Amino acid sequence: MRFARVLPAFCPFGPAVSPRPEREKKHKMIHGHHKKPTTSSPPLRLLFWESTVRCNLACAHCRRIETADEAAKEDLTTAEFRRVLDSTASLGKPIIVFSGGEPLMRDDWEILAHHAKSLDLPTALATNGTLVDTPLARRIAAAGFRRVSISLDGADAATHDAFRRVDGAFDRAVAGIKALRAESMPMQVNATIAAHNIDQLDDIYSLVRSIDVEALHLFLLVPVGCGMEIAESHQISPEQYEKVLNWVLDRQADGQIELKATCAPHYYRLAAQRAQTATEPASAMSSQHGRGCMCGVSVAFVSHKGEVFPCGYLPVDCGSVREKPFAEIWRTSDVFANLRDYDKLLGKCGRCEYKSVCGGCRARAYAMTGNYLAAEPSCTYHPAGEVAE
């Protein structure tokens, strides 16, 4: 069985992870994270914070159910994360995503949300929605979050609840969405796409449109050796992956709702292929369509105990906010510098004419090879002039 990190029901942009000890030691030796400070860094767009590992659900794929309460003793304190916010503010105005675990299980989420607001830092909340009733929805709206995300990992209660292993989770999540919408809160629905719901895309799309939310983000499962465990049979093939992304491109043409494929860098290659003309090189598509894998490039992740990773799926140690200011880590980490240099990509990703558009998922490469710069294992494309091996 392979290990996988699959997006939890409560995380809008990326999940919460902590590295496996054996890989943490290995990657400190291989990738040392503060040897050669970089002279400049790109703007930070999103900072994901695993606010706590505590959660009120018992998802079948989660490996922290029995250890979460003990691990939560290492959660960053209110003062510690205030310092992270203060440091992050020096980098501009990235979105601070309160994730988890279940962030509403912290006692200080309102204090910290208001502190971010005082620094003019926009915030988003990633909750599983099952705790949200009318009074709590009002508190969330008053805290100033720009958007709240709640996951529906199936088009019906049976599919979602089986995945989350809590009866009633679907109905409570939908009720949470409606309570927040009643407070005029912008809402995003997330759906982790895996074998359990890959045949429900049309139904999920219809469901989301029916409950009046702004956005639907589909998260393609990322296998990685930490955090969560999922059966081999639950994963989707590279061919199915590509099929999902083409479905997204087709549905986006309808313009009915904000629809996005996340943790899916191939989307940008497919978009470029669809849009490309005979006179426009693939490299020109980067500015037009954006870029796929943004971990360490415009995205970073702070774990519940202060570790900094390129994203929630890539447990490669870049430093700790308990030892150095976050802004310093963002500017000087060698891991971040490597991820920002597309010429360092290896294998077919390094040779691909779409590498500045796509970049491949660095977490999938890491999960399968132990090297985050290796070729993306879930990609069916072969660079121009090359044939499948």
Side-chain angles (χ1 to χ4, degrees), residues 107-167:
D107 295 331
D108 59 356
W109 61 267
E110 288 166 288
I111 295 171
L112 291 168
H114 283 297
H115 186 65
K117 187 176 181 179
S118 74
L119 297 170
D120 204 22
L121 291 171
T123 55
L125 175 66
T127 170
N128 62 41
T130 61
L131 300 176
V132 180
D133 55 14
T134 296
L136 186 53
R138 290 172 180 164
R139 290 168 58 193
I140 291 169
F145 291 106
R146 301 282 184 89
R147 178 178 281 190
V148 176
S149 74
I150 293 176
S151 287
L152 297 176
D153 294 310
D156 52 55
T159 305
H160 179 88
D161 291 357
F163 194 62
R164 296 299 159 189
R165 210 165 62 177
V166 173
D167 290 341

Side-chain angles (χ1 to χ4, degrees), residues 144-358:
F145 291 106
R146 301 282 184 89
R147 178 178 281 190
V148 176
S149 74
I150 293 176
S151 287
L152 297 176
D153 294 310
D156 52 55
T159 305
H160 179 88
D161 291 357
F163 194 62
R164 296 299 159 189
R165 210 165 62 177
V166 173
D167 290 341
F170 179 88
D171 291 338
R172 287 157 59 195
V174 171
I177 291 171
K178 292 179 178 179
L180 288 160
R181 288 299 293 135
E183 301 301 321
S184 301
M185 175 59 66
M187 292 299 302
Q188 172 182 313
V189 167
N190 301 325
T192 300
I193 303 303
H196 75 290
N197 63 4
I198 194 170
D199 295 326
Q200 296 185 351
L201 293 177
D202 287 334
D203 291 335
I204 291 171
Y205 183 73
S206 296
L207 169 67
V208 170
R209 287 190 58 200
S210 73
I211 56 177
D212 185 32
V213 300
E214 282 76 9
L216 169 61
H217 288 198
L218 303 183
F219 288 79
L220 279 296
L221 185 136
V222 179
V224 66
C226 62
M228 294 183 179
E229 182 176 332
I230 197 164
E232 182 90 17
S233 61
H234 212 77
Q235 300 177 31
I236 62 176
S237 68
E239 291 75 21
Q240 290 174 308
Y241 186 113
E242 194 109 340
K243 182 178 179 180
V244 172
L245 297 185
N246 276 298
W247 179 91
V248 170
L249 283 160
D250 291 339
R251 280 292 180 272
Q252 284 175 331
D254 297 341
Q256 299 296 319
I257 192 173
E258 177 192 314
L259 179 61
K260 182 180 178 182
T262 300
C263 299
H266 317 351
Y267 164 88
Y268 293 90
R269 185 254 302 166
L270 286 167
Q273 287 176 303
R274 288 191 178 201
Q276 192 171 3
T277 68
T279 59
E280 188 173 17
S283 59
M285 293 297 162
S286 181
S287 60
Q288 180 178 346
H289 294 283
R291 186 176 185 272
C293 188
M294 300 305 296
C295 71
V297 179
S298 62
V299 170
F301 177 90
V302 175
S303 81
H304 77 106
K305 57 184 179 179
E307 305 146 309
V308 178
F309 304 131
C311 79
Y313 294 104
L314 184 55
V316 180
D317 185 16
C318 299
S320 171
V321 298
R322 282 178 162 155
E323 298 173 1
K324 293 185 179 183
F326 172 77
E328 180 181 347
I329 296 171
W330 176 255
R331 293 183 178 119
T332 65
S333 164
D334 275 357
V335 174
F336 287 156
N338 288 338
L339 290 165
R340 295 163 188 168
D341 185 351
Y342 308 150
D343 289 335
K344 290 190 175 182
L345 295 177
L346 303 174
K348 71 175 185 178
C349 282
R351 302 187 300 272
C352 185
E353 66 271 30
Y354 291 102
K355 67 181 178 182
S356 64
V357 177
C358 168

